Structures are given as C-alpha cells and as structure tokens.
Amino acid sequence: MSVEPGGEVGGEITKIASEHAAQNGADAAAPSNHVGQAMRRKEDPRLITGRARYVDDITLPGTLWMAFVRSPEANAKIVSIDTSAAQEHPGVHAVFTGPDLTDLAGPLPMAWVPPGIEVNNPEHWPLAREHVRHVGDPVAVVLGVDRYGVVDAAEDVVVEYDALPAVTDPEAALEGPPYVHEQLGTNKVHEWSLPNDRLQAGFDEAEVVIERRVVNHRTAGAPIEPRGVLADYRAGSLTVWSSTQVPHFVRLFLAILLGMSEERVRVIAPEVGGGFGAKLQMTGEEVLAAWCSRKLGQPVKWIETRSENMAVNHQGRDQIAYCRMGAKRDGTITAFHVKIIADLGAYNMLLTPTIPALGAFVMSGVYKIPAVHTDVVGVFTNKCPTDAIRGAGRPEATHMIEVCIDQLAAELDMDLLELRRKNFVPSDAFPAEMATGVIYDSGDYDKSLDKLLEHVDLDAFRREQTELRQQGVYRGIGFSTYTEICGLAPTRVVGPEGFGNQAGFWESALVRVHNTGAVTAYTGASPHGQGHETAFAQIVADKLGVDPSVVEVVHGDTGTGPEGRNTYGSRSLAVGGESLARCAKKVADKARAIVAHQLEAAPEDIELRDGKFSVRGSPDRGMTLAEVAGAAYLNQVPEGMEPGLEETSFWEPENFVFPFGAHACVVDVDAETGKVKVVRYVAVDDCGKAINPMLIEGQVHGGVVHAIGQALYERVHYDESGQLITGTFVDYALPTAAELPSFELDRTETPSPVNSLGVKGVGEAGTIAASAAVTNAVIDAVRPLGVSYMNMPLTPMRVWEAISEAQGRKEGVSA
Amino acid sequence: MSKTVPVRLEVNGVEHQLDVEPRVLLVHALRDRLGLTGTHVGCDTSNCGACTVHLNGRAVKSCTVLAVQADGAAVTTIEGMGNEQQLHPLQEAFWNDHGLQCGYCTPGMIMAAAGLLAENPNPTESEVRHALEGNLCRCTGYHNIVKAVLDAAAVGSGVTAQPEVKA
Amino acid sequence: MIPAEFDYLAPDSLQEAIQALADGGEDAKLLAGGHSLLPLMKLRLATPALLVDLRKVPGLHGIERENGSWRIGAMTTHSELEHSEQLGVVARAAGTIADPQVRNRGTIGGSLAHGDPASDLPAVMLITEGSVTLQGPGGQRVVAANELFQDYMETAIEPTEVLTEVRFPVLEGWGFGYQKFNRRSEDWAMVAVCAVIQQTGDICEDVRVGLTHMGSVPLRATAVEEALRGQSLNAENIAKAAQEAAQGTSPPADLNASEEYKRHLARVLSRRALEEAAGLS
C-alpha cells in the first residue's frame, strides 16, 4: 500500500476501508475493457426472483385507493354528477369531481411553443369540467380504504351526459363541424412545415413521380406494467412513486400545478415495467393522486387497469401522409414531398403536436435528395390524445420513405437495392448536411447493406420464391435501409430558441468514489428496462479502473443525484452515458493528480493501466482507486485541492446522433386467407460503438417486434361514434412468441463524432426500421397476384381483400 | 362487503390461513395479503400471463382464479422458484441469455416455462413458442426468452448451456 | 378489474349443488374452472349474486371409455382432453383453446354450458353427435349436442341444472381434421371448421362438418356433408363440397372479419379440414 497513514485514527479507518475493499474486490486491479463486453445485467437478480419493487409493490400504512369514473361517451356535455350513493359506500373517504380542483395552478402542460406558428391548445384538466371529449375522459375520482371497494363505489357515481356527435376521421374533422372544442370553431390544432425552396425545381427535374397515400394507423405503447402512482403528502412534503420515464419532469410540473416549492416534491420512478414512450408524460392521474393525498392527508394509490390503459394512456402514430416522390429515369431521386395529417386526439398533452414534426428531420432517410419538404397539419378528434410512442414520428417517416422507394423501384422497373444504393448518402460525405437542414453525424450505408447481404442471398431467395409460387406459396422479401435521429438533444436546436420545446436537453451525472474505492454513479437518465445499471457501470468502471460489480448506478429519484432530463428519444447512452463518462474522467483526472502527489510524479505521467493509476514506464509504482480514495478522504491531496473524490457533470451534445442500418424481412402469405407469417427477419444495425452488445441485441429484438406488431397485428380502433373497439388485450393484438421467428442480427460500428464514447442510440431503431420492411415484404409476396400497394395493418382480411380486388380487376380485364 | 370465507393455502411450502371475500382473486391474495409481489397483473382479460403461478403443479393465471378456488391447494410463485443465492435453472438462463428487460412479464414467463418443462423437458423451439402463447412481453421480442427456455431445458437434460461473459 | 360482490358456496355433493342453485334463483351461477365466467365478472359484464363452485363435488372428473362411447366428467380440463389423443378431434380442438394456463383451468363442461359460438368445443360436440347429461331437482336428463345450443350464449340447460358429464361415440376408424383460423394462436377462432369422415376405400361413407363462429350458435355444415357423402374423396370433390360451407350461415362480423370474409374462410377451412380428415393433406 503506497498511502502513508495520516495519523492514528485516520490510519485505522484507512486500514479498515482497504480490508473491506479487498473483501469486496473493490481494490482489485481491474482490466479496463468492460466496454464492449456482453456483460449480463446487474439488474436481473432482483427481477428474476420476484424481489423487484414496481409501484404496486410499494405499500404505505393508511393508503387510500383511488378509482376513476370515466366517460363512456366520446363527446358529451356533463349535465350532472351525483356522487351521493358512492359517498355512502363503507370505507369511502371522498369523491371529487372537476369543479373540486379549484386550487390547481393550471391545466395539464403542453411543452411545445414553436416559434412562428400558432398551436390551438385548449385547457386540459385532470378531471373534466363540463365536457368530455373522448371515451375514458376522467369525470370523478373515488377514494377509499379498499382496493375493491373503491371500484364498487365508482360504479355508483351517476353521471348524466348530453351526448353530442363525435368526430373520429381526421380528414373529415378538418372539414368540421362537429368540433372537438366548440369554442375554437375548428378542429385544426396547428400547421407546421419543414420547407424546402427547391421543391418545385426538384419535381421539374423529375421524369417519374409516384404518389401514395401512406396511412400509419394508431397504436398503443402497451407496456406490460400499466401506469400507477403512489403519492404521499406529509408534513408539507410530497413524495410520489410513479411508473414514469420522466421523474424530473413530473416533479417540476407537480410543484407548479400544486403550488409547492420544488424542493418539497420528490418523485421516484421505482422499477418501471416498460415505457415505450407511453410513460413519457405528465399525467392527470399523477396530479390527482398528489392533490388528493394533500387534501386528505393520507397516502393515495392508483393502479391503472389494462382497460383504462388502452383508453387513456396516450397513443401513437395515427398519421395519414400524402407522399410524392420524384426521380429521373436512371433512379436519381430529385424531390420528396410529404403532407402529414396527424390525428392528435382530443387534447394536446406534453409533446402531442411535436411528434409528427420529429419525423420531418429525417424525411430524407439515407438518401441524398436535393429537395425534401414536409408539411404537418394537426387535427383534434374525439379520441385519446397521441404523443410519443417508441420512435415518435421517425417510424412514420421511415415507413413513408422506404415504402415509397419500393414503389418507385417498381415504377422504374429497377432493382430495389440498386435504387437505394444509387441514392445513398456516400460514406465520404459525413458529416453530411441534408436538404432538411440537419447534419448526419456519421454513416456508411453501403457497408450495412453489404453486411445484410452476407446473410441474405437475394439471388437464391428469388429462385426459391419463384419455385414456391409454383407450389402456391407466396413468399416475399422486403427491405428497409434507414436512419433515424436521436440522442436528444442540442438545446439550441430543439429548445425554446430553436424548435420550441421549453426545456434544455443536457444530462447530468455524479460520480462518487467511496472510502473503499467502491463507486456510486448517479444519472439523470431514468430507465425502464434498458439496462442502464449495467451499461453505465461498464463505462464508469473503465474510466476508473475498477470492476463494474463495484459501480452502483443510481437513477430515477429526484431526491438523489443532480437534476436530470430522463429517458426518451434513445438519449440515455448518447447523452446520459456520455455525461457519466465525462464525469468519471473528471474523477480520474483528480485521481491522477492525487497519485502524482503521492508518488512524486508529474500528473501527466500517471496512466490508468490494468486497474492502477501508475507512473508511465514504472507499472510497479501505482495506486488502485481504493488507495486513491483513501488518500483523498484523508486529505492527502495536492496543495489547493479539495479533499474527497466526487464530481458532477452536466453535458449536452452539439448535434444529434444518427443510427442507421439495413433490415430484411421474409414473409409467407397464405393467398387464400390473407394471413401473413414472418418467417425470417435479418437486421444489421449501426449504433456506433457498442458498450454492451447483448443489450443492443435485446433492444433491436424488442424494437423490431414492436413494428411487426404494428404492421401485422396491432391497431387502436374507434368506431364512427367514437367508441373504442380495441379496449383490452383481447382485441388489441400484441404478437406472442407463437407468431414470431427467432431473429438474425448483425452490426457494423461507425463511431459517432458527437460524443467521446462514439455511441448512438438503439432503443427505437428497430421500431423505426421494421414496419417498412414487413410491408414491403408482404407487397413483394402478393405482387404476382396483382397487388402493388397496401397500407398497414396487414391483417388477414385486408390482405385477402386486396388480393380479391386485384384478381377481380384481372378477371375484369381478361373478360 | 360479502361474507368472508376461510381459505387455506400452501404457498411456496408455507401454510397460510386467510379470510377473504369470495371475489378476491388469487393474485391479490398472494400480493396484497401475503406480500408476494413477484406475481404481477398486466391485463384484465387473462391474456398477458404476468400473473402466472403454479396451482398444484400446473401453470395457471392467478388473475382468473378466485382465492377460494385454491382452498387446500399448493401454490408456487416466482419467490418459490429460487433466490439470489440459489437460482432455479430457468432464472439462471433468463439472466445469462438476457431474457428480460423491464422484468414485469418475467415471473409469469418463468412460471409458464417451468410448466412446459415439467411436461416436456426437451421442447423444440416451436414447442417453446407455443407454450408461451399465453404470456405477453413488450420488451424482448421473445427471442432471448425462447433461447433461455431452451438453454434451461438443455441444463436440465445434462447438456450445459454456455453462458455469455458473466458479471 | 375486480368482480362485483357475490356469495359463494362450495358444496360437497351434487344434490347440495343443485339445491343451492334452486335456492339461489336466477342470480346463482355455477363455477367450474371459471375461465369463461370470471373474465366476464371481472369486466362486470356478469354479476351473479351467488357462485356455486363444483370443485368439491365428487365424480365430475375423468375420461372413460364405456360401451363404444367416451364419458367425460364435466370438470375435466382442456389440458386433460388435449393430452388424450385417443379422443381424436376433441383432443385436437381442445389443444387449440387459448393458451396452456387457460387449458389447465378451463373445463369441457364449463365451455359447453357457456355456449359461446366462438369457442372450440361446441361445434366439435355437434359433429361427434354427442350429448350432455344434466342433473336437476327433478332428476337426470340427457340432451343431444344439436339441441344444447339454442342461441347466442344460451343453452338448453335450466338454471337449476348441473351439466355433469359429456358423452360421445368413439369414432373408431373415422378420420378427422380441425382448422382454426385466428390472428394469434391464443385468440378465439375467427372461424374454425371441424370435420370427421368415415371412408371405405376412397368413398366417403359418412361425413360431418362443424362450424365455429359462423352464427349465434355452432353449426353443422349440412350442405357440405350432403355434397360429399357417397362421393369419391378426391381434392376436386372436396373442394366442390366445401364451396357449400357458408350456406345458411349468418356470421357475426367484427373489426377483423366481415361477414363476407368469414364465409370465404368457412369455405377455405372446410376444404382444408376435409382434406385433412380424408388424409389428403
């Protein structure tokens, strides 16, 4: 041990600490190569043994249960609410309705204030006041001692509605009336464009123009854990456990809406059972639980049922896009124009109208198109609001581009991969400024497609396809070569001065080395299944020369660590991970200075090698992190340096990151019934440098299935009267293991220059890429039957109808 | 409240006597009365399987069983499968193979898989996929879950699965 | 989601169960595996005041062969049927019900008494030409499968009767086919077709075809049967006969299947089920 004991007591502590460290392995010299390893997860032991604690697993004495009375009507005036019978139920403490919430500082927030355009943003209260605007709109809450009893009491709240006509078709809604918000006299929420003044010139140059109406239907995030809140207001302070992706945002808004001082509000995201964007929200339920807890002086718990979740947890997609793609005969794409009609549902929630705009930034896809122009019109309808769901605008964009590319290839009678390659942004063009104005950080699109084709022998496939067709089997292949924009975000671009989001999008980190050399790393990112505790530990471990097992990553609690900006938009690693890496480097720099001081060497001569901070050229002269910590906490540090070994960082990227890749999907279509089966799925993704390849694969698997789900199985559907037809997991068809194949994955690694780790995001990439690959595959399969285009969801009936119609056309022609 | 009825359950080898309303679902008796919160609820319609436990050795959805129906029965929950010191081969395989992300469906998946392996110790991939048709996962795309079950089966039959680099 | 309140009895004998039903009146319901009833109760689409649980009643369980017939206790689970391959089409159909956990709880008696035209076993019972035994305050009666299903989720079972057993002839030497069409394997049938064929050489001596979810009750596709009976069992004749599958049906449409699509499916699935039953596929 190289540290001089600093006196009797301090020496003893140092000794105990170092013995303790030896027992825990914290002082062991650890090789600095954990990054890149498929390390199994630190999170898992608690999760596989049933020891994890999700919101519903947390109990507090005296907790009151909260149950909702929700509107069965899609559009109605509330004539009266009679809560008397509910109040009579044994164990019921209170029933509240909209007018009771007079002391809220304001309605639920919408955080997008785009410069230069108007957004209609009518008030949206946690409980409806006078009017309900979609099925499930909350009307009253019942609070009582018993989980079952409050449900009974809620059934006895009598609400009289004056039902009004509902509007559910966004294109009809633009024509209005009826109006979702009568006082606006329109159903239009906003119009926004990412314009390009070369658009007309681009189409003038084109020799072929294809036009398609691309419908990207409404879907649900459907995390398997529904939402839930436990709020505990006590002695002037509020603690809220919420199944959320964004505890820091929730704290801020709860403080504002409840008129509380922010430091008196603590929000904890405990174990969160999936998010997929559906838990990126400031919900009325969170506000109500907190408000009721303060009002009644008791903890209040609300656990969402799946039926509630399907009706009121914000949904995603629901865009109708009119796409025009122009090209020369040789395949050079000259212009792409997209007009999106986005069905936003009944209210604006946190980010509702921004979502369709997010796709506009990557509307050029992986192609160097000189003119790309996106128009967005947002529309109110009597449906659940939409907002961010895995991919948030970018799956829609990829779908439009990649489906149109295939349609164009067919029109040009050109090989669909040759057409893609002809238009790829070349690998030497990065960083590449696109016609959309964004700068793609890095990419090599030919390389990922080449790698894909190492797995997929297209010529062999076409031969097999021909043979199978002769046997009546309709097999098809579809491709998607995609990029996406993530790592949110440079504030100058998306913040108040830029795109108009009222926040900064840095991320925080705090790295604390304890006396023994063990490390606690706080991150402002807030995971819900991604594996931050493992990947972030790998990053920090390598920076400090310790084993990841002694790095504990703490997250999801506004009461610990610095202010945070949480998890969405595939930002955790590229922003939060980088922030932690920089923070750990600060700690390592301090450690070097301390070691230099202890060993009488120059700080620049201290290198981290084999788990030791040692003098360059003299590997025997060095200190482990535990020994450095011992010195740091004994204040055996250089003159003028503070004792201790802990640093904080706030870091924000200069640019977004742009993951990319090439996917191929093979399907069989039962031409008699229209049923589609995915028989093979191959994905090559590039998310920059890999921190943990196992976690990357997991994200791609789940992301791809999310999109296969949308393409083939899942659809949120409202009938013309605004009734929700897909209100449970019986009707909202998430695919099961039995519907799916195993996947074949590969990667290329093109580092991002935006951060020191060279990483990009991968949480949404699979979802962004896959729906187009599936759709193109189905169309490829049934093309010989005369079908040239279809919109999702490619349900058996829809495919059968398309085939029948095409066959009818053929027969009509031949007759 | 309707009259409560006495229920005797043997849960993970421990006898319990409960008085419950007849309408109390087995999953709520396990979670709210016995504190066994590893068993989860993810839907209202017996689709998601997050609540899967074993009732007298067979996998069932505990959200669709009344606690009174389980009177006198032996129940095994995820907590009864193994702990961090001594993991069940399925738990170990889920860990090794990254068969979980958010972990919410995982207890039900493991219990459903255990139900399969009890009946069919050497399933094919297709048999595993069909045996899990009553369990929904939104995170993993099922790929690594299926792999984990096959690997656990291989361990059970003496063929050791090769784990990835371990923590 | 939580059921509304109810009272609960778990009698030790059939007589007590029948008495409890009689005493409970219209709001009393029998509980077997609970996998038809409890989901409805959780959504509060059913709110019985009294549940009479059959779990302690002896003699309602098991599969026995007796005088050329199968006798199956009402409380026998789908899983037990599924694993009794000798039951032929009944085992096959049972193995497609929902998922393994549901099959471990759901029972044949519960399924038939529920009378859901989308569930698998009712149509299968029609083509086995089986029957159910009902025990009531006035004694026992036997109701043939084709008289059991009266309307959408309505059966010939009186509120005070308990379905105690299911019988159907052993279809020795008959081939069978079962074709269930759904979007996901755990789903209810969009349409399902079951078929059994008795053949001598390639001649169809007898044939029975059942349709699931093609009306408010399970149906026999008699036009198909008539078209094929006595014919040579080749692909052409089967295809021709299967064209009659939708005759006289009025299938309930939903989001994923129009009436027209369901009629089309019935024809396609009938052909496939018949080919399977005839050993042609």
Side-chain angles (χ1 to χ4, degrees):
Chain A
M1 179 134 176
S2 319
V3 181
E4 291 289 321
E8 194 72 2
V9 176
E12 189 57 26
I13 290 172
T14 308
K15 186 160 162 278
I16 293 168
S18 76
E19 278 168 8
H20 178 77
Q23 282 163 14
N24 287 286
D27 74 333
S32 302
N33 60 353
H34 300 99
V35 163
Q37 300 293 319
M39 198 181 108
R40 64 180 189 170
R41 299 201 316 173
K42 291 163 68 88
E43 289 88 341
D44 289 359
R46 64 178 187 264
L47 295 166
I48 54 182
T49 54
R51 299 290 302 273
R53 301 220 304 168
Y54 301 85
V55 173
D56 195 16
D57 304 339
I58 300 165
T59 48
L60 295 175
T63 295
L64 297 176
W65 285 87
M66 182 166 78
F68 278 84
V69 178
R70 296 183 181 278
S71 171
E73 300 289 341
N75 189 18
K77 284 198 163 68
I78 299 171
V79 177
S80 65
I81 306 175
D82 181 356
T83 64
S84 54
Q87 310 253 22
E88 298 292 305
H89 272 253
V92 166
H93 281 222
V95 182
F96 296 114
T97 64
D100 292 319
L101 305 177
T102 48
D103 56 347
L104 279 186
L108 293 170
M110 194 268 287
W112 193 45
V113 185
I117 67 160
E118 293 280 313
V119 178
N120 276 322
N121 189 32
E123 289 183 353
H124 177 204
W125 295 94
L127 289 175
R129 300 179 170 185
E130 298 171 6
H131 207 117
V132 289
R133 293 185 171 86
H134 68 93
V135 167
D137 222 355
V139 175
V141 281
V142 177
L143 293 112
V145 295
D146 174 43
R147 176 175 217 149
Y148 285 23
V150 290
V151 178
D152 297 339
E155 293 232 309
D156 282 348
V157 173
V158 181
V159 187
E160 190 188 338
Y161 297 99
D162 180 7
L164 300 166
V167 58
T168 57
D169 175 340
E171 293 186 288
L174 279 177
E175 306 301 318
Y179 300 120
V180 177
H181 300 274
E182 195 63 41
Q183 74 277 19
L184 298 176
T186 176
N187 286 318
K188 188 186 288 181
V189 180
H190 73 309
E191 283 188 56
W192 178 89
S193 291
L194 190 62
N196 189 298
D197 54 17
R198 289 203 68 256
L199 189 68
Q200 193 50 52
F203 279 112
D204 288 346
E205 270 181 77
E207 292 160 337
V208 175
V209 175
I210 60 140
E211 297 188 19
R212 292 291 180 275
R213 182 175 182 267
V214 180
V215 181
N216 206 298
H217 61 281
R218 183 175 278 244
T219 66
I224 304 300
E225 182 206 23
R227 295 174 300 153
V229 191
L230 171 62
D232 183 22
Y233 185 92
R234 193 155 42 95
S237 288
L238 173 68
T239 306
V240 172
W241 289 263
S242 180
S243 186
T244 181
Q245 296 172 221
V246 288
H248 290 91
F249 289 158
V250 171
R251 173 174 64 169
L252 172 65
F253 288 120
L254 281 179
I256 293 171
L257 297 182
L258 296 173
M260 290 180 68
S261 184
E262 200 180 350
E263 94 288 357
R264 290 282 182 162
V265 181
R266 178 178 178 187
V267 177
I268 301 167
E271 211 75 65
V272 175
F276 316 107
K279 294 172 184 173
L280 161 50
Q281 195 55 267
M282 176 67 240
T283 67
E285 290 89 350
E286 288 163 320
V287 177
L288 280 164
W291 184 89
C292 289
S293 178
R294 182 170 69 177
K295 186 94 179 165
L296 301 173
Q298 280 175 262
V300 168
K301 192 180 207 178
W302 170 71
I303 298 298
E304 187 176 49
T305 66
R306 177 59 55 189
S307 303
E308 278 183 299
N309 182 270
M310 296 309 294
V312 301
N313 191 181
H314 75 245
Q315 299 166 351
R317 320 284 187 255
D318 213 350
Q319 299 180 9
I320 299 166
Y322 290 89
C323 301
R324 289 171 71 217
M325 187 176 270
K328 294 185 187 166
R329 279 264 160 231
D330 70 358
T332 307
I333 302 171
T334 58
F336 189 39
H337 179 211
V338 171
K339 180 176 179 181
I340 297 168
I341 295 162
D343 184 339
L344 303 183
Y347 305 100
N348 291 322
M349 297 197 70
L350 194 60
L351 297 166
T352 298
T354 68
I355 302 304
L358 292 179
F361 295 110
V362 280
M363 203 56 87
S364 200
V366 290
Y367 311 109
K368 49 175 198 311
I369 307 174
V372 179
H373 177 122
T374 304
D375 295 313
V376 176
V377 181
V379 188
F380 286 125
T381 58
N382 292 110
K383 303 182 198 171
C384 179
T386 54
D387 204 317
I389 295 295
R390 201 171 197 169
R394 292 105 79 210
E396 296 93 315
T398 303
H399 196 84
M400 293 169 209
I401 302 155
E402 288 301 301
V403 165
C404 283
I405 283 270
D406 264 31
Q407 297 291 305
L408 179 64
E411 186 72 27
L412 293 168
D413 195 20
M414 192 169 169
D415 178 86
L416 42 85
L417 296 183
E418 189 192 328
L419 176 61
R420 283 176 168 83
R421 286 192 196 272
K422 188 173 183 65
N423 290 284
F424 276 168
V425 178
S427 61
D428 59 7
F430 294 93
E433 182 162 4
M434 308 299 292
T436 47
V438 299
I439 297 170
Y440 290 3
D441 61 338
S442 64
D444 192 340
Y445 306 145
D446 279 301
K447 191 172 163 190
S448 54
L449 183 53
D450 289 344
K451 189 119 193 185
L452 181 76
L453 295 175
E454 288 173 19
H455 298 272
V456 178
D457 181 340
L458 191 53
D459 293 334
F461 175 83
R462 291 296 181 202
R463 285 193 297 276
E464 180 193 32
Q465 185 180 40
T466 308
E467 282 164 25
L468 285 170
R469 277 175 189 163
Q470 282 157 7
Q471 299 163 29
V473 177
Y474 289 84
R475 178 164 289 185
I477 192 166
F479 292 89
S480 174
T481 51
Y482 78 99
T483 186
E484 64 120 336
I485 179 168
C486 68
L488 307 181
T491 303
R492 70 182 160 80
V493 179
V494 299
E497 306 298 314
F499 184 58
N501 285 306
Q502 301 301 299
F505 291 94
W506 42 265
E507 194 49 272
S508 65
L510 188 157
V511 174
R512 175 176 300 153
V513 182
H514 301 280
N515 300 285
T516 57
V519 180
T520 303
Y522 297 86
T523 176
S526 191
H528 28 284
Q530 295 91 337
H532 291 41
E533 290 169 37
T534 306
F536 285 10
Q538 288 174 268
I539 292 170
V540 171
D542 277 7
K543 294 286 181 199
L544 297 178
V546 293
D547 192 88
S549 63
V550 298
V551 180
E552 193 198 10
V553 176
V554 178
H555 54 72
D557 181 351
T558 67
T560 64
E563 184 63 44
R565 282 296 170 264
N566 310 142
T567 289
Y568 41 84
S570 301
R571 73 188 303 269
S572 283
L573 181 58
V575 188
E578 173 71 8
S579 189
L580 257 181
R582 285 170 183 260
C583 190
K585 184 176 175 300
K586 276 194 206 172
V587 173
D589 288 345
K590 182 169 182 180
R592 277 191 193 88
I594 293 170
V595 173
H597 175 67
Q598 292 285 326
L599 302 183
E600 295 176 348
E604 53 273 23
D605 287 338
I606 305 300
E607 60 178 5
L608 179 59
R609 206 173 157 157
D610 298 332
K612 268 193 164 181
F613 292 88
S614 52
V615 180
R616 187 166 289 123
S618 314
D620 296 346
R621 293 180 63 212
M623 295 168 72
T624 64
L625 187 66
E627 290 163 343
V628 179
Y633 288 111
L634 286 170
N635 203 5
Q636 294 171 342
V637 297
E639 186 77 27
M641 181 181 274
E642 293 175 3
L645 199 51
E646 168 169 329
E647 298 289 348
T648 303
S649 288
F650 284 76
W651 184 78
E652 174 174 301
E654 273 295 304
N655 190 7
F656 303 92
V657 289
F658 296 82
F660 61 92
H663 288 206
C665 177
V666 177
V667 299
D668 279 350
V669 179
D670 180 341
E672 281 190 303
T673 64
K675 189 167 181 171
V676 177
K677 181 153 183 64
V678 176
V679 295
R680 193 176 177 208
Y681 199 99
V682 189
V684 174
D685 292 277
D686 192 320
C687 55
K689 183 121 179 57
I691 302 299
N692 184 329
M694 186 180 79
L695 300 186
I696 292 174
E697 291 197 351
Q699 289 298 311
V700 174
H701 291 147
V704 165
V705 169
H706 205 127
I708 290 175
Q710 177 177 17
L712 300 180
Y713 302 100
E714 301 173 32
R715 163 167 49 165
V716 173
H717 185 75
Y718 289 84
D719 71 11
E720 283 179 8
S721 69
Q723 286 301 312
L724 177 62
I725 304 301
T726 50
T728 69
F729 275 170
V730 173
D731 300 301
Y732 189 82
L734 294 176
T736 79
E739 279 71 57
L740 296 162
S742 285
F743 301 102
E744 298 159 67
L745 305 190
D746 207 339
R747 279 188 301 116
T748 59
E749 273 197 19
T750 308
S752 171
V754 173
N755 54 69
S756 72
L757 294 168
V759 296
K760 304 182 178 185
V762 72
E764 298 161 290
T767 305
I768 289 166
S771 71
V774 179
T775 302
N776 286 337
V778 176
I779 294 171
D780 184 58
V782 297
R783 217 179 261 283
L785 297 168
V787 179
S788 57
Y789 183 72
M790 274 181 287
N791 274 312
M792 302 185 292
L794 300 169
T795 61
M797 181 168 70
R798 181 169 287 184
V799 174
W800 172 75
E801 282 173 346
I803 294 170
S804 305
E805 195 197 316
Q807 295 291 303
R809 266 199 316 270
K810 259 192 200 167
E811 279 161 24
V813 171
S814 60
Chain B
M1 196 191 274
S2 7
K3 199 159 65 89
T4 60
V5 284
V7 173
R8 193 171 52 81
L9 295 175
E10 186 201 305
V11 183
N12 302 329
V14 179
E15 285 275 341
H16 295 273
Q17 296 275 355
L18 299 174
D19 280 309
V20 296
E21 271 191 274
R23 62 171 168 165
V24 168
L25 304 173
L26 178 59
V27 66
H28 288 141
L30 294 170
R31 289 177 51 83
D32 297 346
R33 298 293 294 276
L34 302 180
L36 295 168
T37 55
T39 302
H40 299 147
V41 178
C43 74
D44 311 324
T45 48
S46 321
N47 286 84
C48 82
C51 64
T52 301
V53 301
H54 288 191
L55 192 63
N56 291 332
R58 303 197 72 97
V60 303
K61 293 182 171 179
S62 63
C63 75
T64 314
V65 177
L66 300 171
V68 289
Q69 288 181 289
D71 182 32
V75 178
T76 308
T77 69
I78 188 68
E79 291 91 342
M81 294 294 278
N83 58 39
E84 288 191 32
Q85 279 65 45
Q86 188 138 27
L87 293 173
H88 185 279
L90 273 163
Q91 293 171 318
E92 189 81 37
F94 270 67
W95 190 8
N96 289 335
D97 290 336
H98 190 28
L100 61 148
Q101 290 178 29
C102 82
Y104 197 77
C105 76
T106 310
M109 282 286 180
I110 288 176
M111 299 312 290
L116 165 70
L117 296 185
E119 271 181 26
N120 178 0
N122 290 298
T124 62
E125 177 179 337
S126 167
E127 286 168 340
V128 171
R129 287 184 174 278
H130 279 280
L132 299 179
E133 68 198 357
N135 292 73
L136 297 173
C137 172
R138 191 55 146 173
C139 295
T140 66
Y142 306 102
H143 179 106
N144 285 339
I145 291 175
V146 172
K147 186 167 185 284
V149 177
L150 289 169
D151 283 351
V155 169
S157 63
V159 186
T160 311
Q162 288 300 316
E164 310 264 354
V165 178
K166 289 196 179 188
Chain C
M1 302 293 263
I2 290 147
E5 291 179 343
F6 55 84
D7 289 322
Y8 173 85
L9 287 172
D12 295 312
S13 74
L14 191 57
Q15 282 318 311
E16 287 172 75
I18 293 164
Q19 191 57 50
L21 282 180
D23 295 347
E26 277 194 6
D27 292 334
K29 274 269 188 192
L30 277 181
L31 179 67
H35 274 51
S36 299
L37 183 58
L38 291 179
L40 293 179
M41 289 173 63
K42 284 168 68 184
L43 297 169
R44 303 208 171 184
L45 298 173
T47 52
L50 171 68
L51 283 192
V52 180
D53 191 344
L54 291 174
R55 70 188 161 92
K56 291 185 185 168
V57 174
L60 296 181
H61 198 269
I63 300 169
E64 283 169 31
R65 188 168 167 161
E66 196 178 273
N67 303 328
S69 280
W70 291 109
R71 197 186 73 81
I72 299 177
M75 292 287 277
T76 306
T77 64
H78 303 320
S79 164
E80 290 164 291
L81 299 175
E82 173 189 5
H83 291 105
S84 305
E85 273 180 42
Q86 65 276 20
L87 297 178
V89 68
V90 174
R92 170 79 73 76
T96 71
I97 294 170
D99 57 59
Q101 294 98 310
V102 170
R103 296 197 288 275
N104 279 339
R105 288 295 292 173
T107 64
I108 186 169
S111 177
L112 296 178
H114 193 59
D116 187 333
S119 64
D120 297 83
L121 294 178
V124 172
M125 288 315 298
L126 288 185
I127 66 162
T128 61
E129 299 192 341
S131 63
V132 295
T133 304
L134 306 176
Q135 199 84 39
Q140 178 179 305
R141 67 185 179 119
V142 172
V143 173
N146 64 359
E147 289 166 2
L148 180 61
F149 307 106
Q150 306 217 316
D151 205 341
Y152 181 72
M153 291 202 193
E154 270 182 34
T155 66
I157 306 169
E158 295 295 327
T160 52
E161 286 180 318
V162 178
L163 192 166
T164 56
E165 67 181 34
V166 178
R167 282 174 189 266
F168 56 90
V170 176
L171 296 172
E172 201 91 68
W174 291 60
F176 68 86
Y178 192 66
Q179 292 283 324
K180 178 175 182 172
F181 191 85
N182 48 18
R183 295 185 62 206
R184 300 175 299 174
S185 69
E186 70 156 356
D187 287 338
W188 299 93
M190 198 177 267
V191 176
V193 178
C194 49
V196 288
I197 292 177
Q198 189 181 40
Q199 65 186 98
T200 307
D202 75 335
I203 298 300
C204 174
E205 298 289 347
D206 201 359
V207 56
R208 302 172 195 162
V209 179
L211 304 175
T212 293
H213 216 179
M214 286 296 290
S216 56
V217 291
L219 300 170
R220 279 279 286 270
T222 47
V224 178
E225 296 173 2
E226 278 160 25
L228 199 57
R229 202 170 285 124
Q231 301 293 310
S232 162
L233 282 169
N234 56 42
E236 194 185 332
N237 285 342
I238 284 175
K240 204 167 146 222
Q243 283 305 311
E244 309 297 325
Q247 226 186 74
T249 64
S250 50
D254 62 31
L255 174 62
N256 295 303
S258 64
E259 282 185 42
E260 189 193 358
Y261 182 54
K262 282 188 151 190
R263 290 199 179 95
H264 168 75
L265 284 177
R267 291 188 280 264
V268 171
L269 300 176
S270 291
R271 193 197 75 226
R272 291 178 181 181
L274 287 165
E275 284 175 350
E276 195 187 348
L280 295 183
S281 61

